[in-house]
Amino acid sequence: MFTLQSGPVDTVNARQQLIHPGCGGYCSFEGWVRDHHEGRSVDKLIYEAYAPLALREGQTVIDEAVQRFEIEAARCVHRTGELAVGELAVWVGVAAAHRDAAFAASRYIIDEIKTRVPIWKNEFYTDGTSAWVNCAACAATADDNQSRRAV
Amino acid sequence: MFTLQSGPVDTVNARQQLIHPGCGGYCSFEGWVRDHHEGRSVDKLIYEAYAPLALREGQTVIDEAVQRFEIEAARCVHRTGELAVGELAVWVGVAAAHRDAAFAASRYIIDEIKTRVPIWKNEFYTDGTSAWVNCAACAATADDNQSRRAV
Amino acid sequence: MQIEIEYFALLREEAGCASETIELQQPTPAAVYACLNERHAFSLPAARLRVAVNDRFTEWNTQLDDGDRVVFIPPVAGG
Amino acid sequence: MQIEIEYFALLREEAGCASETIELQQPTPAAVYACLNERHAFSLPAARLRVAVNDRFTEWNTQLDDGDRVVFIPPVAGG
């Protein structure tokens, strides 16, 4: 199951949903808001999601993981809105009979979520500027000023 | 930090110890007591540790992970004593700037803990028998009766 | 035909609005983006974007129907 | 020399005790295990074990000192 959430994620409860007596391995990944990115000091960030498609594509990623790996269940929760440094941005949990599959599926899910699901990250730096991550590099080829604008 | 614990593991607190503002990736692995093992139905198990050496070797594994991978911190807690199906037997947590290192170090730690740290698992089956896991296969070459005895 | 466009992230900021409607004959996502790019001078070329129609990923040369909702998707950055 | 042996897991069950002391001239872990194996008929050959002396992994041919504590380590199964 893939969900979007505008408030803090209850990881204890999210993990609880995956407990199953046939499972011997559980792997979880969490993405936290770092205080730096590519050498710049980060103050906070805002995640914006194209919700209907993000939910559909996120669920497709989960379904693919269940197909590809010998796992019992997998979940992913992604935050939207404003997050401070240290806050949890994304949570992935996978339960499986064995650890190989739990690790592999966890990794697959976070990698695919990051590259396929329409969620964007607006990073706000301590110097007062901000940038849409990934867009900055692309847009730089066209016009550097558009992507690193004053707040 | 590597620790042994005879009661339930507080994974929420254990995770909390790893939170660091420079970290963007957190990977955790949990080993749970499965209700089956190699086709046999498991009732409960007992972990026995050679504590002084287990603590030393467990800490060596953690130190190696910190040396080998670009991680900020890692912890592992292993249970001892009697565990029911579904209980957490081992917990690993790793925080890093990036997810590659978090996943790799988590995997390294659980793999090494399982093969190097002197902790033994006595599995009790629903048919009333029990076996020391791993020893059973080794001992089988000598005398199969010694390793699968009535409880 | 009337096509509705919804904007997100950098494109929303550059368009200066969250959505708008344009009128085009025999529209495709490619034609819609070219038209809007004239208006807003987006910093992202179409080659950097994906496109969704009615909340599903779609090809750039798909024929659009009246009332279709189109979203141009800048490089994503979840996680 | 007096050597203390501590047993764990399968070896503890097969020895029928958690620890014992034996007396040997010029003892090594290999000699100690051979001696104890005569007494207890362990199901695990030495080749399947590791050995620790005073809580550190050690080689089988290490010369032991009086009062050393030896632990024979069956295949582990943590996690």
Side-chain angles (χ1 to χ4, degrees):
Chain A
M1 188 162 128
F2 178 86
T3 54
L4 293 169
Q5 196 168 312
S6 60
V9 177
D10 181 349
T11 59
V12 175
N13 177 62
R15 168 184 174 282
Q16 200 73 22
Q17 308 299 318
L18 292 169
I19 291 176
H20 184 280
C23 291
Y26 167 79
C27 181
S28 161
F29 177 80
E30 300 181 12
W32 297 340
V33 180
R34 267 206 315 270
D35 62 4
H36 64 280
H37 182 232
E38 290 174 2
R40 308 189 71 189
S41 176
V42 172
D43 184 38
K44 65 167 186 179
L45 53 80
I46 294 176
Y47 280 105
E48 185 172 330
Y50 170 17
L53 185 55
L55 290 170
R56 190 197 307 280
E57 188 72 358
Q59 189 57 52
T60 300
V61 169
I62 300 285
D63 293 345
E64 286 172 5
V66 171
Q67 289 282 324
R68 283 172 191 237
F69 306 99
E70 289 277 322
I71 64 176
E72 181 68 30
R75 298 172 81 93
C76 177
V77 186
H78 203 295
R79 281 290 304 275
T80 58
E82 184 172 324
L83 279 80
V85 167
E87 274 199 90
L88 184 148
V90 60
W91 175 89
V92 176
V94 175
H98 301 283
R99 70 186 184 286
D100 261 343
F103 272 102
S106 250
R107 185 62 202 256
Y108 178 81
I109 290 168
I110 187 63
D111 285 356
E112 296 296 307
I113 295 291
K114 276 174 175 272
T115 51
R116 288 164 51 182
V117 174
I119 298 173
W120 299 272
K121 176 160 47 180
N122 199 356
E123 273 185 345
F124 293 78
Y125 307 103
T126 52
D127 65 8
T129 62
S130 74
W132 290 96
V133 176
N134 288 1
C135 291
C138 297
T141 61
D143 180 356
D144 191 53
N145 291 328
Q146 301 261 5
S147 59
R148 281 194 185 177
R149 67 218 174 280
V151 179
Chain B
M1 187 161 129
F2 178 86
T3 54
L4 293 169
Q5 197 169 312
S6 59
V9 177
D10 180 348
T11 59
V12 175
N13 177 62
R15 168 185 176 280
Q16 199 73 23
Q17 307 299 319
L18 293 169
I19 292 176
H20 184 281
C23 292
Y26 168 80
C27 181
S28 162
F29 176 80
E30 300 180 14
W32 298 340
V33 180
R34 266 206 317 268
D35 62 3
H36 64 281
H37 182 230
E38 290 173 2
R40 308 189 71 189
S41 175
V42 173
D43 183 37
K44 65 168 187 177
L45 53 81
I46 294 177
Y47 279 106
E48 184 171 330
Y50 170 17
L53 185 55
L55 290 170
R56 192 198 306 280
E57 189 72 357
Q59 188 58 51
T60 300
V61 168
I62 299 285
D63 294 345
E64 287 172 4
V66 171
Q67 289 282 324
R68 282 171 192 238
F69 306 99
E70 290 276 321
I71 64 176
E72 181 67 30
R75 298 171 82 94
C76 177
V77 186
H78 203 295
R79 281 291 304 274
T80 58
E82 183 171 324
L83 279 79
V85 167
E87 273 199 269
L88 183 148
V90 59
W91 174 89
V92 176
V94 175
H98 301 284
R99 71 187 185 284
D100 261 343
F103 273 102
S106 252
R107 184 64 202 256
Y108 178 82
I109 290 168
I110 188 63
D111 286 356
E112 296 296 307
I113 295 292
K114 277 174 174 273
T115 51
R116 289 165 51 181
V117 175
I119 299 173
W120 298 274
K121 176 162 44 181
N122 200 358
E123 274 184 344
F124 292 78
Y125 307 103
T126 52
D127 64 9
T129 63
S130 72
W132 289 97
V133 177
N134 288 0
C135 291
C138 296
T141 61
D143 180 356
D144 191 54
N145 291 329
Q146 301 262 3
S147 59
R148 280 194 188 179
R149 69 221 171 279
V151 178
Chain C
M1 281 189 273
Q2 289 224 329
I3 305 298
E4 294 173 40
I5 297 97
E6 231 183 310
Y7 292 114
F8 291 94
L10 185 60
L11 291 182
R12 180 177 44 70
E13 291 191 355
E14 292 181 352
C17 61
S19 65
E20 63 185 316
T21 305
I22 65 164
E23 183 95 28
L24 268 186
Q25 301 305 316
Q26 299 204 316
T28 63
V32 170
Y33 193 71
C35 173
L36 293 166
N37 201 18
E38 298 240 329
R39 192 181 298 178
H40 301 299
F42 293 126
S43 62
L44 292 164
R48 301 293 194 172
L49 308 174
R50 297 182 72 186
V51 64
V53 175
N54 302 332
D55 304 334
R56 291 180 186 272
F57 288 116
T58 311
E59 301 300 315
W60 284 90
N61 57 1
T62 306
Q63 284 298 323
L64 297 173
D65 291 325
D66 193 50
D68 275 353
R69 286 178 303 105
V70 176
V71 177
F72 300 106
I73 298 171
V76 305
Chain D
M1 280 189 273
Q2 290 224 328
I3 305 297
E4 296 173 38
I5 298 95
E6 231 182 312
Y7 293 113
F8 291 94
L10 185 60
L11 292 183
R12 179 177 45 69
E13 291 192 354
E14 292 181 352
C17 62
S19 64
E20 63 184 316
T21 304
I22 65 163
E23 183 97 27
L24 268 186
Q25 301 306 315
Q26 299 201 316
T28 62
V32 171
Y33 193 73
C35 174
L36 293 166
N37 201 19
E38 299 241 329
R39 191 180 300 177
H40 302 297
F42 293 124
S43 62
L44 292 164
R48 300 293 194 172
L49 307 174
R50 296 181 74 187
V51 64
V53 174
N54 302 332
D55 303 335
R56 290 179 188 274
F57 287 117
T58 311
E59 300 301 315
W60 284 91
N61 57 2
T62 305
Q63 282 300 322
L64 297 173
D65 291 325
D66 193 51
D68 275 353
R69 286 179 303 107
V70 176
V71 177
F72 300 106
I73 299 171
V76 305

